[in-house]
Amino acid sequence: MTATAVRTSTPAVTGRQTITFAKAITLGLRSVLADDPKTLVMGEDVGRLGGVFRVTDGLQAEFGEDRVVDSPLAESGIVGSAIGLALRGYRPVCEIQFDGFVFPAFDQITTQLSKMHYRSRGRVTVPVVIRIPFGGGIGAVEHHSESPEVLFAHTAGLRVVSPSTLQDAYDMIRAAVASPDPVIFFEPKGRYWSKGEVDLDAPPAPGILDTARVARTGDDVTLVAYGPSVQTALQAADALAAEGTSAEVVDLRAISPLDIPAVVASVRKTGRCVVVHEAPTVHGIGAEVASRVTEEAFHHLEAPVIRVGGFHAPYPVAKLEHHYLPSVDRVLDAVDRSLAY
Amino acid sequence: MSDQATGEQGLVQLLDPAGVRVETDQNAAYRERVAHLQPDHLRAMYRDMMLTRRFDDESTALQRQGELALFAQARGQEAAQVGSAYALAPQDYVFPSYREHGVLHVRGVDPVDRLRLFRGEDHGGWDPADHNAHLYALVLGSQVLHATGYAMGVQRDGLVGTGDPTRDTAVVAYFGDGTTSQGDVHEAMVFAAVNDAPVVFFLQNNQWAISEPTTRQAKVPLAHRGLGYGIPSVRVDGNDVLACYAVTLEALERAHSGGGPTLVEAFTYRMGAHTTSDDPTRYRDREEEERWRRRDPLDRLEAHLKATGAWDQAWWDGVEADAEALAERIRVETRELGAPPTSAMFEHVYATPHATVADEAAWQAEYETETEAAR
Ligand SMILES: Cc1ncc(C[n+]2csc(CCOP(=O)(O)OP(=O)(O)O)c2C)c(N)n1
């Protein structure tokens, strides 16, 4: 084993920098690795290659093979051994290479990781973060574009989150690693290459893992989204503004727990709600939001809550995915239906 | 049936079923590992095996009386469990399956705490940190990966190969023959092997996975599986407490010194039912049970103690009294383990507050208060 880290010269990692979304996560990971020697990054190809999306690029060179670990090709092994490491006082951050490959680890995540704290009546904590690049729109082959977040959100004991902005990506990964709870961290892979400015000196924001964010204010309709769909919702809001309709966009950030008060506050103002996500609508998070909004803001609603999302069909071939994904047009259509009531 | 998987070839044995010490060229190194054991040590092992069996009997009776939802006996496997647990250093850490009552007994986990899960009062029952013993595992094989990851943590803590026997640390994962077919066990062996993780895979081949014989899991002796990963593997007579102790000691020594994992296949027999819900007469014959009864681990050590003049009647009377006291304590205190308050359902779901849990806990509390008031 190589016990000592090989430190190479590192670029400036402070101040405001214009970087990619992927890099924002890299620098978030870099910051937690630098702060706490018990933090580890592990997964397939995360070391020398820097991950297939390069999110862990340069981390092994800086922190060594014991801190940034190229694991065997075994997802259950990655998560199961991460649980053991966490029981020993480490804070592993696992990378699952693609959304469709998390299922071999599903058992360890749902039957073990999620319940260890509960089973031990709080005597042990398992601060494991599982990063999953998710979502479609990149023309990938099958099993590379899925949105399995609801399967984890349905499991008590897991926190399930997804950033949509670069600053959130940086802040939320740090908060996820700092959290004593296991966090399933869904990264919108279609956004990895988008660029923007990030404040690398931003103070830690622990509450960010369970509070929604108003991404744009408006009065006529609330668009609720998270992860990659926030961009779609914002584009729809732009188009609506051109037509004279003012849409408010709520970025959930957290899928479990849902910040229902934030959604309800917005719906009380606008009276209308459209939920947008890539995952299938059936039995989905949109259904949960719709139900909660109906329960808590029934008298403020001018129209039923409408969902825009994927179909109850396997994620389609790349040539068809533009029909599957909630496009700006489908969001506009849903808003029209809502306004028509 | 393939003899390959169920045969007894190559078993390390130090005490034969008649309780006579076995001396062969092959077991010389293992004999050295038990050479320091005095009659007192052997009597202590016997006592712990005996208390484990008494715990089993009493727990089974409690289940029959409706005090436990389920119970899984360790009867027949006491030598494998007590022998391996005796080899542990205090700082070593064990990950049990659901049948390792003998191991947990040696680790000092309170017998009543061990029954909380079976009573449906708790999903765990003790603080793992107090005993360096993790909670029971019910999803087969899950714990074998946890043990491996924990061992990788030990390694990162610099606690292998220090040469200091009070610091060098190893981890033992316990699992059954059926469990070897689980992917997690395969993955654990891959992770342990490539990382030289200080973990001992202690497999108790008790011949049956509920109703399935070992031949439904493997075509070769299970220890051979370790070899494919480059993991030194050894088969031991699992009903011979001395051999189990010696073999585990060797495996732990390898782990402690930085030599990596070992697979131990303890060839033994589950003498009781799989659990209190099982009916073994549906799948196995009396003749087989009878054959294994003649290999009973307690009888064997008793015969040895008697033959070597180490059996002492006054000591034996004390052991019996201890067993009786243990049974009495389990009978009384298990019944006293009422149900936890409803609010416990919502405690420790997360280490930090979670809005959904908080909302539902509040709703439940209010509902409970209102329905109480309406009554
Ligand atoms: C993943 C999983 N599948 C099925 C079961 C149900 N089950 C409980 S014990 C058992 C047999 C296990 O046999 P073995 O590994 O030989 O251990 P033993 O009970 O003999 O000690 C089965 C199938 C389970 N607990 N977990």
Side-chain angles (χ1 to χ4, degrees):
Chain A
M1 305 209 43
T2 44
T4 46
V6 193
R7 292 234 169 215
T8 56
S9 64
T10 49
V13 281
T14 56
R16 293 186 164 275
Q17 290 194 18
T18 299
I19 52 178
T20 62
F21 192 102
K23 182 81 174 183
I25 300 172
T26 314
L27 293 180
L29 290 172
R30 186 193 176 277
S31 132
V32 293
L33 282 163
D35 284 353
D36 179 3
K38 292 280 191 181
T39 301
L40 311 173
V41 166
M42 49 199 280
E44 295 158 13
D45 306 300
V46 298
R48 286 174 68 172
L49 182 66
V52 290
F53 288 108
R54 309 292 184 269
V55 172
T56 56
D57 193 23
L59 297 179
Q60 189 181 70
E62 186 174 356
F63 296 100
E65 290 176 19
D66 277 356
R67 305 274 316 279
V68 181
V69 186
D70 272 330
S71 71
L73 269 102
E75 286 73 16
S76 191
I78 293 168
V79 175
S81 62
I83 293 170
L85 280 156
L87 291 172
R88 182 72 198 181
Y90 286 80
R91 301 184 91 85
V93 183
C94 305
E95 175 173 303
I96 299 293
Q97 211 156 56
F98 280 92
D99 35 57
F101 307 144
V102 71
F103 297 103
F106 192 68
D107 163 49
Q108 283 285 350
I109 296 172
T110 54
T111 72
Q112 305 300 315
L113 182 62
S114 68
K115 296 175 173 64
M116 210 57 103
H117 185 70
Y118 188 70
R119 279 212 290 146
S120 70
R121 307 304 297 147
R123 287 163 180 136
V124 303
T125 51
V126 275
V128 174
V129 176
I130 300 177
R131 296 179 35 241
I132 308 177
F134 86 125
I138 62 163
V141 293
E142 68 168 345
H143 305 302
H144 288 72
S145 302
E146 294 166 17
S147 301
E149 56 273 19
V150 72
L151 301 172
F152 300 99
H154 205 65
T155 303
L158 303 174
R159 287 177 175 276
V160 185
V161 304
S162 182
S164 77
T165 70
L166 284 94
Q167 188 68 48
D168 275 2
Y170 179 71
D171 293 342
M172 285 169 73
I173 191 65
R174 291 182 303 150
V177 176
S179 168
D181 285 314
V183 179
I184 315 295
F185 195 87
F186 281 101
E187 299 173 3
K189 70 167 90 76
R191 299 270 289 138
Y192 273 151
W193 303 279
S194 61
K195 277 198 161 187
E197 199 183 68
V198 177
D199 176 6
L200 298 171
D201 299 329
I208 202 167
L209 294 183
D210 41 12
T211 46
R213 173 183 77 94
V214 176
R216 174 189 177 118
T217 53
D219 300 314
D220 300 331
V221 60
T222 299
L223 304 179
V224 178
Y226 58 87
S229 301
V230 173
Q231 194 66 11
T232 313
L234 286 169
Q235 284 165 4
D238 280 345
L240 287 166
E243 296 170 5
T245 301
S246 158
E248 178 146 308
V249 177
V250 177
D251 171 5
L252 290 173
R253 293 202 284 216
I255 298 160
S256 174
L258 278 173
D259 186 355
I260 289 298
V263 178
V264 165
S266 175
V267 174
R268 286 199 167 137
K269 185 172 68 165
T270 64
R272 292 186 161 80
C273 181
V274 171
V275 193
V276 188
H277 54 60
E278 294 189 10
T281 53
V282 174
H283 305 290
I285 288 153
E288 176 68 18
V289 170
S291 169
R292 297 292 301 275
V293 166
T294 309
E295 263 183 68
E296 291 176 37
F298 186 70
H299 295 293
H300 295 81
L301 283 172
E302 306 284 342
V305 181
I306 299 177
R307 292 170 290 163
V308 182
F311 303 112
H312 193 57
Y315 194 87
V317 293
K319 300 279 186 218
L320 292 178
E321 66 180 340
H322 59 288
H323 293 295
Y324 176 95
L325 291 170
S327 60
V328 171
D329 279 348
R330 271 170 55 201
V331 177
L332 295 177
D333 175 66
V335 171
D336 284 349
R337 281 159 56 210
S338 176
L339 290 168
Y341 272 89
Chain B
M1 283 227 173
S2 139
D3 287 347
Q4 264 295 307
T6 53
E8 300 188 13
Q9 70 274 21
L11 295 183
V12 175
Q13 191 182 61
L14 297 177
L15 212 52
D16 76 9
V20 177
R21 289 293 297 266
V22 179
E23 298 206 0
T24 63
D25 291 346
Q26 287 75 34
N27 75 11
Y30 293 111
R31 274 189 274 129
E32 269 172 42
R33 291 184 187 277
V34 300
H36 67 286
L37 293 181
Q38 300 300 312
D40 267 354
H41 294 120
L42 300 186
R43 283 195 292 261
M45 283 176 166
Y46 185 90
R47 177 177 181 277
D48 285 326
M49 287 159 69
M50 164 96 177
L51 292 179
T52 299
R53 188 164 286 189
R54 192 55 197 259
F55 171 82
D56 268 3
D57 291 347
E58 201 53 42
S59 304
T60 305
L62 282 170
Q63 195 280 332
R64 296 285 177 244
Q65 294 156 21
E67 298 292 338
L68 302 177
L70 182 83
F71 186 69
Q73 285 193 352
R75 178 179 278 262
Q77 300 177 220
E78 295 91 345
Q81 297 192 5
V82 170
S84 60
Y86 261 67
L88 294 164
Q91 69 274 18
D92 292 340
Y93 203 94
V94 302
F95 282 83
S97 177
Y98 44 79
R99 203 188 288 288
E100 274 68 49
H101 316 309
V103 176
L104 297 172
H105 164 78
V106 174
R107 288 259 106 178
V109 178
D110 186 87
V112 178
D113 287 344
R114 276 182 258 144
L115 292 176
R116 290 175 188 272
L117 178 140
F118 294 103
R119 188 170 167 84
E121 192 259 347
D122 201 302
H123 287 326
W126 62 90
D127 188 340
D130 288 346
H131 308 280
N132 281 353
H134 197 64
L135 308 173
Y136 289 117
L138 293 187
V139 178
L140 299 171
S142 57
Q143 80 280 14
V144 188
L145 267 172
H146 303 164
T148 301
Y150 194 96
M152 289 161 62
V154 166
Q155 204 172 28
R156 282 171 171 69
D157 291 343
L159 293 175
V160 290
T162 70
D164 177 351
T166 65
R167 277 165 51 83
D168 281 342
T169 303
V171 185
V172 183
Y174 288 90
F175 54 104
D177 43 298
T179 302
T180 62
S181 298
Q182 287 284 337
D184 275 5
V185 173
H186 167 81
E187 296 188 20
M189 292 201 183
V190 172
F191 275 66
V194 301
N195 289 298
D196 296 320
V199 58
V200 177
F201 297 109
F202 196 91
L203 153 61
Q204 289 167 84
N205 176 359
N206 66 5
Q207 314 302 321
W208 293 94
I210 312 187
S211 70
E212 296 190 0
T214 311
T215 48
R216 294 306 300 161
Q217 317 294 339
K219 299 273 276 184
V220 296
L222 290 170
H224 290 195
R225 291 200 170 158
L227 302 176
Y229 303 97
I231 296 178
S233 303
V234 51
R235 305 188 86 203
V236 60
D237 183 335
N239 288 13
D240 171 354
V241 71
L242 291 186
C244 288
Y245 170 78
V247 160
T248 311
L249 211 55
E250 177 194 44
L252 287 169
E253 207 169 277
R254 178 171 297 122
H256 286 150
S257 64
T262 304
L263 170 63
V264 175
E265 178 192 355
F267 198 77
T268 180
Y269 195 72
R270 183 235 304 149
M271 299 223 295
H274 170 69
T275 65
T276 43
S277 309
D278 174 43
D279 174 11
T281 63
R282 293 177 72 109
Y283 54 82
R284 68 186 193 190
D285 55 45
R286 256 181 202 291
E287 192 193 320
E288 176 185 291
E289 292 180 14
E290 219 22 75
R291 185 154 39 86
W292 279 94
R293 198 156 286 134
R294 289 195 295 273
R295 301 173 58 94
D296 186 88
L298 273 80
D299 291 351
R300 186 182 303 199
L301 187 54
E302 178 177 337
H304 178 69
L305 289 172
K306 284 182 170 158
T308 54
W311 187 268
D312 169 329
Q313 192 57 42
W315 161 79
W316 165 250
D317 292 344
V319 173
E320 273 214 301
D322 290 350
E324 204 37 63
L326 171 71
E328 171 73 12
R329 213 188 123 209
I330 295 173
R331 269 199 298 278
V332 173
E333 292 185 22
T334 303
R335 284 195 173 84
E336 285 168 1
L337 292 175
T342 318
S343 59
M345 193 155 65
F346 302 101
E347 287 162 9
H348 310 297
V349 180
Y350 294 88
T352 49
H354 186 281
T356 308
V357 178
D359 286 353
E360 292 185 355
W363 180 89
Q364 164 65 30
E366 199 182 313
Y367 178 78
E368 203 167 291
T369 314
E370 280 170 8
T371 47
E372 277 306 313
R375 220 166 256 166

